Amino acid sequence: MATRTRRPERRQEPLSRERIVAAAVELLDSVGESGLTFRALAERLATGPGAIYWHVTGKSELLAAATDAVIGGALAADDLRATPRDAVRALALGVFDALDVHPWVGAHLVSTASHSPTLPLFERIGRQVRALGVPESAQFTAASTLMNYILGVAGQNAANTRRVEPGTDRAAHLDRVAGTWAELDPEEYAFTRSVTEQLRGHDDRAEFAAGIDLILTGIAGRP
Amino acid sequence: MATRTRRPERRQEPLSRERIVAAAVELLDSVGESGLTFRALAERLATGPGAIYWHVTGKSELLAAATDAVIGGALAADDLRATPRDAVRALALGVFDALDVHPWVGAHLVSTASHSPTLPLFERIGRQVRALGVPESAQFTAASTLMNYILGVAGQNAANTRRVEPGTDRAAHLDRVAGTWAELDPEEYAFTRSVTEQLRGHDDRAEFAAGIDLILTGIAGRP
DNA sequence: ACCTGAACACCGTTCAAGT
DNA sequence: ACCTGAACACCGTTCAAGT
């Protein structure tokens, strides 16, 4: 027996900032940055483009909120038993992995405020820097350097995934880049050519972690 | 006595890729990223928007070419008598200073290829890494780490100058940021608050250089 | 209070037509 | 070969009008 009061299939729960941001993240993940359109978003939410503006001031706020949501999720609770060095590594790799799933975040992490969502990341890094025993006067520089390195990699990875058509896998892409490097002018690009083999078949994630370790060594070994 | 054949004031030398890119850089410098429009560019070149497409395939190529032009200019010849450490510093600061004049470059340096114009920078850094005596197996990581740090700072600076309205000077801006930091939740943002004083009145450029030194120390002190 | 969707003021890009 | 500029297919954003 069908219920008398059936709510129409199409009527969704009311619009909310939360639902809008979630839909924006989905759209960004599936169609990429150019796919985030107020019209596409409105269609997905079964409403008109104007409705979105009641909950969100504009596109840049929407992007910031989407970035916030992803990064907030990536900054899991610290493992209190880890060494500071391991905690920094875990923090950095958490961001790295989140960007792997949501490549569009990289570009907007970089272009976003000295405010959210980079601030929580800065705080988390800073705490570990302090735990490392870095003297107070050097803490700001140490935390900033780690932060800027992480954001730099984030941006580069975002650029890479944007350039590569979604189908190709990492290995194929690296091979292609290595191929172009091998064809560079031997004199003008002597160094780049010499590290071509290190590029081919290297692991982005491991490479990223190695950079973190390098900086940590620099922080520990400050003269 | 006026010459008989006077060329009309308005007729410029013919369009060329070079002139177009130069005009684009000017437009980006003076009006910012949102000011670079095919219509505005066409007006500046006294032609129609379609004409530009004969010399350039589209907007992204135009931006890449503009970025190329700026970075190419920033990578001056190495001082052969400098130590590798000083050469890396000079290289990095050259990029930093170029971005100070052309803030829009930061965003596009990050989002641009593993190809030009980051490749010449990578090559230049790599040569100095080699000169530092880094063993071959570690050269790629060392150069990448420096590179990613530089690009990270580039992106952040671009984001900062974009956020600040053109009038405000650095000191005022830092003061404003420091003000917001001082109001953060004391528990949630304990570290950030503790370095507020180091932020206020710090020197972006010196801070950037300090980060380079930190990484160089890490490279030298690799275990 | 919240939603609708047409309308506005732009974009990048194309292309027939000119020289 | 190179340029012109109207036209196309989009954008983000606004806003009168609805519920």
Side-chain angles (χ1 to χ4, degrees):
Chain A
M1 238 179 256
T3 343
R4 265 285 268 297
T5 55
R6 64 183 276 277
R7 48 171 151 93
E9 296 277 35
R10 277 297 156 76
R11 252 293 134 247
Q12 322 237 9
E13 37 184 326
L15 225 47
S16 66
R17 212 186 124 91
E18 226 173 42
R19 273 190 68 222
I20 290 171
V21 172
V25 170
E26 271 176 43
L27 213 45
L28 285 162
D29 286 347
S30 60
V31 204
E33 258 190 281
S34 66
L36 182 62
T37 281
F38 276 80
R39 274 162 250 257
L41 195 56
E43 198 186 3
R44 216 175 173 102
L45 293 164
T47 180
I52 298 167
Y53 282 86
W54 209 94
H55 300 273
V56 144
T57 60
K59 189 164 190 180
S60 63
E61 196 207 308
L62 184 57
L63 267 165
T67 305
D68 254 357
V70 169
I71 294 299
L75 298 180
D78 282 325
D79 178 351
L80 292 175
R81 289 177 314 195
T83 65
R85 237 185 127 100
D86 284 340
V88 169
R89 243 186 295 249
L91 217 41
L93 286 172
V95 173
F96 185 91
D97 290 338
L99 297 208
D100 207 45
V101 183
H102 313 279
W104 51 272
V105 173
H108 285 275
L109 246 195
V110 170
S111 75
T112 220
S114 54
H115 239 143
S116 99
T118 45
L119 208 50
L121 178 58
F122 182 71
E123 171 72 21
R124 298 286 291 276
I125 292 170
R127 284 172 187 230
Q128 300 304 332
V129 164
R130 194 194 268 161
L132 278 168
V134 174
E136 213 161 323
S137 65
Q139 288 175 5
F140 183 83
T141 298
S144 300
T145 303
L146 282 165
M147 180 86 172
N148 279 312
Y149 170 71
I150 293 169
L151 294 180
V153 175
Q156 285 306 100
N157 274 15
N160 285 339
T161 51
R162 206 178 311 139
R163 196 165 27 256
V164 174
E165 57 269 46
T168 50
D169 64 339
R170 249 172 231 266
H173 174 239
L174 279 178
D175 240 49
R176 225 168 42 87
V177 174
T180 65
W181 281 19
E183 279 162 27
L184 291 170
D185 182 292
E187 190 137 340
E188 202 178 339
Y189 287 101
F191 172 76
T192 304
R193 285 180 55 124
S194 77
V195 293
T196 302
E197 282 317 308
Q198 288 176 57
L199 173 75
R200 205 189 298 270
H202 90 154
D203 175 352
D204 279 352
R205 201 179 121 106
E207 201 61 53
F208 171 69
I212 293 282
D213 284 342
L214 205 62
I215 298 175
L216 286 170
T217 301
I219 290 172
R222 81 211 102 75
Chain B
M1 240 178 255
T3 342
R4 266 285 267 298
T5 56
R6 66 185 274 278
R7 48 173 150 94
E9 296 276 35
R10 277 298 156 79
R11 254 290 136 245
Q12 322 237 9
E13 35 182 329
L15 224 47
S16 67
R17 213 186 124 90
E18 226 172 43
R19 273 191 68 221
I20 290 170
V21 171
V25 170
E26 272 176 42
L27 212 46
L28 286 161
D29 285 346
S30 61
V31 205
E33 258 189 279
S34 66
L36 182 62
T37 281
F38 275 81
R39 273 163 251 258
L41 194 56
E43 198 186 2
R44 217 175 173 101
L45 293 165
T47 181
I52 298 166
Y53 282 86
W54 210 93
H55 300 273
V56 144
T57 60
K59 190 164 190 180
S60 63
E61 195 207 308
L62 183 56
L63 267 165
T67 305
D68 254 357
V70 170
I71 293 299
L75 298 181
D78 282 325
D79 179 352
L80 292 176
R81 289 178 314 198
T83 65
R85 237 185 128 101
D86 284 339
V88 169
R89 242 186 296 248
L91 216 43
L93 287 171
V95 173
F96 185 91
D97 291 338
L99 297 208
D100 207 46
V101 183
H102 313 282
W104 51 272
V105 173
H108 285 275
L109 246 195
V110 170
S111 74
T112 221
S114 53
H115 239 143
S116 100
T118 45
L119 207 51
L121 178 58
F122 182 71
E123 172 71 22
R124 298 286 293 272
I125 292 170
R127 284 172 187 231
Q128 299 306 331
V129 163
R130 193 194 272 162
L132 278 167
V134 174
E136 212 162 325
S137 66
Q139 287 175 4
F140 183 82
T141 299
S144 299
T145 304
L146 282 165
M147 180 87 173
N148 279 312
Y149 171 72
I150 292 170
L151 294 179
V153 174
Q156 285 306 101
N157 274 14
N160 284 339
T161 50
R162 206 178 311 139
R163 198 166 25 259
V164 174
E165 57 271 47
T168 49
D169 64 337
R170 248 170 230 266
H173 174 239
L174 279 178
D175 240 51
R176 224 168 43 88
V177 174
T180 64
W181 282 19
E183 279 163 25
L184 291 170
D185 182 292
E187 191 136 341
E188 203 179 337
Y189 287 100
F191 171 76
T192 304
R193 284 180 55 126
S194 78
V195 293
T196 302
E197 283 317 307
Q198 289 177 55
L199 173 76
R200 206 188 299 269
H202 89 155
D203 175 353
D204 278 352
R205 201 180 121 104
E207 200 62 54
F208 170 69
I212 292 284
D213 284 341
L214 204 63
I215 298 175
L216 285 170
T217 302
I219 290 172
R222 81 213 102 76

